[in-house]
Amino acid sequence: MKIIGEKINGTRKRVAQAIAERDAEFIKDLAKKQSDAGAAWLDVNAGTHPDKEPDDLTWLIENVQSVVDTPLSLDSANPKALKIAIKAANKTPMINSISGESERLTNILPIVAEHGCPVIALAMDEKKIPETSEKRFEVITKIIKETRALGIPDSNLYFDPLAMTISTNTNSAVIAFETMRRVRSEYPEAHLTIGLSNISFGLPARSFVNRYFLGMAVQAGLDSAILDPLDREMQAAILTTELILGRDKHCLNYIRASRKGLFDKPAE
Amino acid sequence: MKIIGEKINGTRKRVAQAIAERDAEFIKDLAKKQSDAGAAWLDVNAGTHPDKEPDDLTWLIENVQSVVDTPLSLDSANPKALKIAIKAANKTPMINSISGESERLTNILPIVAEHGCPVIALAMDEKKIPETSEKRFEVITKIIKETRALGIPDSNLYFDPLAMTISTNTNSAVIAFETMRRVRSEYPEAHLTIGLSNISFGLPARSFVNRYFLGMAVQAGLDSAILDPLDREMQAAILTTELILGRDKHCLNYIRASRKGLFDKPAE
């Protein structure tokens, strides 16, 4: 289970402020903490106007790379910003994201192919999110035809089946699970990822929903997720899930985390 | 998801004491609390020597039935005790348990058939627990041949695939999940149940393992479990799991439980 650290995101107020004020220490601190917590990639999202995005993204990348060598996930739909950001990246970055939308495919896929980037691909079309897992899988199939045509290996694809909130459709999680199982079975080389911000939107006790959803998604084939690697409850959920699925040899990671107090209730 | 309340069990010291001292109030209290917490059945286990078991079990049953009308699960391998206990029960009780062991099948199945009892059937043979899901499924198939021959409907069977501790075999949970999926697919009318006491044995932070295991087991087809219905963390796990699997209409149970404070951290 690989984690894409979500914290360096300019759509968050405090990060936007750090970008605007060029507060490098704040960004470096977020990078170090997420990397120490085991993030496999660090998402960087400037969240700014397309005119400023290339500069802001480059500034973020340089500061992150000055303290960690964790690969980046370049979170932008702007081909211009992406091209500049890729040049600034020391290691091949992940691209976050494409979708079945023709414009994104046309503009971003050639960049992905040229640089051999892993890429997150959302199971949605022209900004519409299909309601059924069948239709989401159709979008995924459309995307994979395009990526294969460009010689992008399936193993560089991270499909996000999209987890919408359960509060307005109680089948949202099941639709995501079904889409995941179908991808696992029909495109076994491809990866699965998910953003956890929506599934519990509008519900109370959101962290319970997010954590159990993640555990069940891993069972359905999820092998990466975009989340806050500093969230201790989420860390506990991931370690427990991997233990249960027989992926923690001699239970060492679980026991080690327990010794470090991960499963203890926080002192209040 | 139906719960078999596990608390009235004479192998627990405090319950053994209550049985020995004929402390009816203690037993009634356990019955009321578990029933109020939503248990679908109350397990009763006298935990005593076969000579005393019929009397002790009858005493337990009478006291439980004096305060609740929740059906019972008669937890005994003693045909004599079971026959007497069934007469004492107001509602058709569940029998806990048979297995692939010939003696149990010969002695207990006729009682199950005669009284139309639901029955828990362990996926083990002659006291040995098979190591693979294939072999556990073979035992289940052997049992189902016998029950069908006696006219017991599959819908009265609650197969327990057996969850052994992950600490000595990291594949234990996966073996249980595989067995569950196979039963779900080949005997769709049969139910699945599980005892949660073993899966986390020898590990730290056991409640994390138990709760996430339960969530993932429900995803694999589990529809009942033997557990402590008063365990708030387990209640939260069950409600969250059912919400995620689209079984909580309008999210009402989840929201109601949240309003009652189920997801709050306990005051310490």
Side-chain angles (χ1 to χ4, degrees):
Chain A
M1 178 71 188
K2 291 189 172 173
I3 295 171
I4 304 164
E6 72 181 9
K7 292 187 86 77
I8 305 176
N9 191 317
T11 65
R12 294 172 58 211
K13 218 169 164 183
R14 186 60 191 84
V15 175
Q17 189 192 337
I19 294 170
E21 295 170 0
R22 289 297 188 255
D23 179 354
E25 289 314 309
F26 184 81
I27 300 300
K28 287 179 188 174
D29 185 55
L30 284 186
K32 270 188 288 192
K33 281 184 177 154
Q34 292 185 98
S35 190
D36 289 348
W41 292 276
L42 297 181
D43 199 65
V44 283
N45 179 324
T48 41
H49 191 275
D51 290 348
K52 300 185 65 188
E53 198 183 359
D55 272 359
D56 288 343
L57 207 48
T58 304
W59 178 79
L60 283 175
I61 291 168
E62 284 169 355
N63 279 291
V64 170
Q65 292 184 155
S66 73
V67 288
V68 300
D69 60 3
T70 311
L72 304 172
S73 159
L74 305 178
D75 190 351
S76 170
N78 176 356
K80 203 172 172 186
L82 283 175
K83 278 182 199 165
I84 293 170
I86 285 176
K87 283 195 189 131
N90 294 336
K91 293 186 173 175
T92 305
M94 177 179 266
I95 304 297
N96 181 10
S97 58
I98 58 163
S99 68
E101 212 182 332
S102 308
E103 201 189 308
R104 286 221 208 178
L105 288 175
T106 313
N107 292 334
I108 298 179
L109 268 195
I111 306 175
V112 168
E114 181 187 344
H115 297 275
C117 299
V119 61
I120 295 174
L122 312 176
M124 61 184 279
D125 226 345
E126 319 301 329
K127 306 214 181 226
K128 267 208 332 277
I129 297 173
E131 293 230 347
T132 65
S133 66
E134 288 77 17
K135 293 239 180 263
R136 291 191 198 174
F137 187 75
E138 275 175 28
V139 175
I140 286 168
T141 298
K142 174 186 165 186
I143 293 171
I144 217 163
K145 274 186 191 150
E146 303 265 356
T147 56
R148 285 177 175 177
L150 288 172
I152 297 167
D154 288 4
S155 60
N156 268 356
L157 302 175
Y158 288 73
F159 286 112
D160 181 340
L162 299 171
M164 309 314 295
T165 178
I166 293 172
S167 68
T168 53
N169 179 356
T170 50
N171 263 324
S172 292
V174 173
I175 292 166
F177 297 151
E178 283 172 2
T179 311
M180 289 182 204
R181 284 195 204 95
R182 186 104 186 256
V183 170
R184 256 299 140 270
S185 126
E186 303 203 25
Y187 306 124
E189 298 296 315
H191 299 277
L192 290 164
T193 196
I194 200 112
L196 281 176
S197 49
N198 289 326
I199 189 76
S200 58
F201 187 80
L203 286 169
R206 292 185 64 174
S207 86
F208 278 81
V209 182
N210 294 349
R211 283 182 274 148
Y212 282 90
F213 173 73
L214 189 76
M216 295 160 86
V218 172
Q219 197 179 20
L222 188 76
D223 58 359
S224 76
I226 307 162
L227 51 80
D228 177 1
L230 305 181
D231 179 336
R232 288 166 52 90
E233 291 181 327
M234 193 57 83
Q235 288 172 6
I238 292 170
L239 281 168
T240 309
T241 300
E242 299 209 310
L243 174 84
I244 292 171
L245 290 177
R247 298 173 188 171
D248 183 2
K249 222 175 171 184
H250 305 302
C251 312
L252 279 184
N253 292 333
Y254 191 82
I255 291 169
R256 203 174 288 142
S258 168
R259 287 201 183 124
K260 283 188 185 161
L262 182 65
F263 302 104
D264 300 345
K265 296 231 163 68
E268 306 195 40
Chain B
M1 177 70 190
K2 290 188 172 174
I3 296 171
I4 304 164
E6 71 180 9
K7 291 186 87 78
I8 304 175
N9 191 316
T11 65
R12 292 172 59 211
K13 218 168 163 183
R14 187 61 192 83
V15 176
Q17 187 191 338
I19 295 170
E21 295 171 359
R22 291 295 189 255
D23 179 355
E25 290 314 309
F26 183 81
I27 300 299
K28 288 179 188 173
D29 185 54
L30 283 186
K32 269 187 288 191
K33 280 183 177 154
Q34 291 186 98
S35 190
D36 289 348
W41 293 277
L42 297 181
D43 198 65
V44 284
N45 179 325
T48 41
H49 190 275
D51 290 348
K52 301 185 64 188
E53 198 183 358
D55 272 359
D56 289 344
L57 208 48
T58 305
W59 178 80
L60 283 174
I61 291 167
E62 283 168 356
N63 280 291
V64 170
Q65 291 183 156
S66 73
V67 288
V68 300
D69 59 3
T70 311
L72 303 172
S73 159
L74 304 178
D75 189 352
S76 171
N78 176 356
K80 203 173 173 184
L82 282 175
K83 278 181 198 161
I84 292 170
I86 286 175
K87 282 194 189 129
N90 293 337
K91 294 186 173 173
T92 305
M94 176 179 268
I95 304 296
N96 180 12
S97 58
I98 58 164
S99 68
E101 213 182 331
S102 309
E103 201 189 307
R104 285 222 209 179
L105 288 175
T106 312
N107 292 333
I108 298 179
L109 268 195
I111 306 175
V112 168
E114 181 188 345
H115 297 275
C117 298
V119 61
I120 295 174
L122 310 177
M124 61 184 281
D125 228 344
E126 318 302 327
K127 305 218 182 225
K128 268 208 332 277
I129 298 173
E131 292 229 349
T132 64
S133 66
E134 289 76 17
K135 294 242 181 261
R136 291 193 197 172
F137 188 75
E138 275 174 27
V139 175
I140 287 168
T141 297
K142 174 185 165 187
I143 294 171
I144 217 162
K145 273 184 192 153
E146 303 266 356
T147 55
R148 285 177 176 177
L150 288 171
I152 297 167
D154 289 3
S155 59
N156 267 357
L157 302 175
Y158 288 72
F159 287 111
D160 182 339
L162 298 170
M164 308 316 293
T165 177
I166 293 172
S167 68
T168 54
N169 179 355
T170 50
N171 264 324
S172 292
V174 174
I175 293 166
F177 296 152
E178 282 172 2
T179 311
M180 289 182 204
R181 283 196 205 96
R182 187 103 186 259
V183 171
R184 255 300 140 269
S185 125
E186 303 202 25
Y187 306 124
E189 297 297 314
H191 300 276
L192 290 164
T193 196
I194 199 112
L196 281 178
S197 47
N198 290 326
I199 190 78
S200 58
F201 186 80
L203 286 169
R206 292 184 64 174
S207 86
F208 277 82
V209 182
N210 295 349
R211 282 180 274 148
Y212 281 91
F213 173 73
L214 188 76
M216 292 159 87
V218 171
Q219 196 178 18
L222 187 77
D223 59 359
S224 76
I226 307 162
L227 51 81
D228 176 2
L230 305 181
D231 178 337
R232 289 166 52 90
E233 290 182 327
M234 193 56 84
Q235 288 172 6
I238 293 170
L239 281 169
T240 308
T241 300
E242 300 209 308
L243 173 83
I244 291 171
L245 291 177
R247 298 173 188 171
D248 183 1
K249 221 176 172 184
H250 305 303
C251 312
L252 279 184
N253 292 335
Y254 191 83
I255 291 169
R256 204 175 286 142
S258 167
R259 287 201 184 125
K260 282 186 185 163
L262 182 65
F263 303 103
D264 301 345
K265 295 230 162 71
E268 304 192 42

